[in-house]
Amino acid sequence: MCSLAKDIGIDLGTASVLVYVKGKGVVLNEPSVVAINKDDGRLLSVGADAQAMLGRTPGNIVAIRPLREGVISDYDMTERMLKEFIRKVSGSFHHIFKPRVIICVPSGITEVEERAVVDAGLQSGASHVYLIEEPVAAAIGAGIDITKPEGHMVVDIGGGTSDIAVISLKGVVESASIKVAGDQFNEAIVKYMRRKHNILIGERTAEQMKMQIGCVFPKEEETTIEIKGRCLMTGLPKTITVTSTEMLEAFEEPVERILEAIHGVLERTPPELVADIANNGIVMTGGGSLVDGFDKLITARTGIHTVVAENAISCVAIGTGKSLDSVHEMNDGTVNLSRRKQMN
């Protein structure tokens, strides 16, 4: 392969896309948002610029999140977004020297969803597309040695999915992928504010609340935030103060579903590996793991020491990038896709 074609690892997330370039590390971290002109279909912006338009566009402009719950919901927009991101990191030669690309996917992905990811990667300018499961990439990115015959548990909480997996000898022994993660936390805040305070807030306000005062374990010192929304009684703007204790109540349902999934994976895991996990602890990755007190809550509920990985948001992208060194051992989705097309 020509040295001008840099191998690329992509964390194709519901909330953000992170791109790792071999030899450089994570070079791009942008929201998974695309803005287009509805009249002529013209691409106006992607990433942070497009995210700034969410909920604030005139009638002829629409801002779209093309991935929902960890999978592609709008194939055309995902392809256009990926093409733009690959162009950004590959430079002006990306049409001539096509990179090999590894894309991480949720562990519960179906064959149809897998095929859509491979297709989108190829149409975006990749020469070959390889797939890696998110928990495996997260474990590698967190610095876990997954080559040993020893059990490790990873809980990756992203924007659209939470992936829980027990990994040993480079493979996933037991796993669960549930569509409860950062987006559902935001939705829980919106519902709570409507139910408790009769106030309607937007997705970006909910995200701000989650990041600033969100918690899932009682804080030693309560924190507050002042937020603005629309009063459902009068239809007029209203400002209220919300406490971190209220966030505990708002997050109760999605948090319980994640804890149930963790318990389910532990119950299905062979006893020897459970003993390893008890010794090694549980490692959390992904943006959702940064919600205050999540590691303490899992420790309290499972009795297993839990830590949040360093660079939790970048772990999956870093692990995907590190996998570029062993790309020859990986499943080539491009080859499988061509075989399927021949069979069809």
Side-chain angles (χ1 to χ4, degrees):
M1 176 177 293
C2 176
S3 60
L4 287 172
K6 297 287 186 183
D7 289 345
I8 295 172
I10 299 176
D11 175 8
L12 187 61
T14 304
S16 302
V17 174
L18 283 78
V19 180
Y20 182 108
V21 174
K22 192 171 182 178
K24 293 183 179 179
V26 177
V27 297
L28 184 142
N29 181 353
E30 296 263 10
S32 308
V33 185
V34 179
I36 61 165
N37 187 315
K38 281 201 297 186
D39 295 338
D40 55 15
R42 189 163 41 92
L43 185 71
L44 300 176
S45 60
V46 298
D49 292 339
Q51 186 184 45
M53 299 180 185
L54 279 173
R56 293 174 170 160
T57 57
N60 66 320
I61 297 174
V62 59
I64 299 166
R65 293 181 64 184
L67 291 112
R68 288 283 172 187
E69 298 178 333
V71 295
I72 294 172
S73 60
D74 188 323
Y75 174 82
D76 182 53
M77 288 300 111
T78 301
E79 180 194 316
R80 293 171 79 173
M81 179 179 72
L82 275 177
K83 190 176 290 185
E84 188 63 21
F85 288 149
I86 290 174
R87 185 195 63 76
K88 275 188 181 181
V89 302
S90 300
S92 55
F93 294 103
H94 75 287
H95 287 302
I96 306 168
F97 306 109
K98 295 186 174 184
R100 291 183 301 182
V101 174
I102 299 179
I103 301 176
C104 70
V105 293
S107 54
I109 195 170
T110 67
E111 189 174 296
V112 173
E113 292 162 347
E114 186 180 296
R115 182 171 181 166
V117 173
V118 174
D119 248 333
L122 292 173
Q123 293 300 322
S124 302
S127 63
H128 287 266
V129 175
Y130 303 84
L131 302 181
I132 183 171
E133 289 181 277
E134 280 179 15
V136 175
I140 295 169
I144 297 171
D145 184 355
I146 64 170
T147 62
K148 295 179 180 178
E150 189 175 67
H152 295 275
M153 176 174 262
V154 175
V155 178
D156 178 57
I157 304 175
T161 60
S162 291
D163 284 271
I164 302 105
V166 174
I167 299 165
S168 178
L169 287 171
K170 295 186 181 180
V172 174
V173 180
E174 277 296 340
S175 69
S177 181
I178 60 171
K179 293 174 179 180
V180 179
D183 285 352
Q184 286 67 39
F185 278 51
N186 292 346
E187 288 173 17
I189 293 173
V190 172
K191 288 177 183 175
Y192 179 85
M193 296 303 291
R194 180 192 285 265
R195 184 178 72 248
K196 185 78 179 284
H197 295 287
N198 276 322
I199 188 171
L200 184 64
I201 62 170
E203 185 183 329
R204 294 185 69 187
T205 301
E207 177 76 15
Q208 181 188 3
M209 292 171 68
K210 179 179 71 178
M211 293 174 68
Q212 292 190 19
I213 65 164
C215 64
V216 297
F217 198 79
K219 286 188 174 185
E220 291 181 10
E221 191 173 326
E222 190 170 73
T223 54
T224 62
I225 187 174
E226 197 174 78
I227 62 111
K228 296 179 177 67
R230 187 172 77 234
C231 178
L232 292 169
M233 307 292 286
T234 65
L236 298 173
K238 185 178 180 180
T239 302
I240 63 167
T241 299
V242 185
T243 68
S244 54
T245 303
E246 289 182 281
M247 291 297 95
L248 274 173
E249 190 180 334
F251 290 156
E252 189 174 347
E253 185 184 340
V255 166
E256 281 301 319
R257 289 185 62 190
I258 292 172
L259 288 169
E260 285 170 12
I262 293 170
H263 284 148
V265 171
L266 284 170
E267 284 173 2
R268 298 192 302 272
T269 300
E272 293 81 0
L273 294 180
V274 172
D276 291 340
I277 294 164
N279 290 329
N280 296 326
I282 297 171
V283 177
M284 297 187 73
T285 64
S289 69
L290 300 178
V291 174
D292 192 84
F294 226 139
D295 52 342
K296 293 176 184 175
L297 180 64
I298 293 175
T299 299
R301 294 287 287 270
T302 63
I304 301 170
H305 180 60
T306 303
V307 297
V308 178
E310 193 177 344
N311 299 321
I313 293 174
S314 306
C315 269
V316 172
I318 292 168
T320 304
K322 285 182 177 178
S323 300
L324 291 166
D325 293 329
S326 54
V327 72
H328 57 282
E329 299 175 8
M330 299 181 69
N331 181 27
D332 189 343
T334 308
V335 173
N336 290 343
L337 188 62
S338 64
R339 282 182 189 148
R340 287 179 200 145
K341 284 179 176 175
Q342 285 169 10
M343 289 171 69
N344 295 341

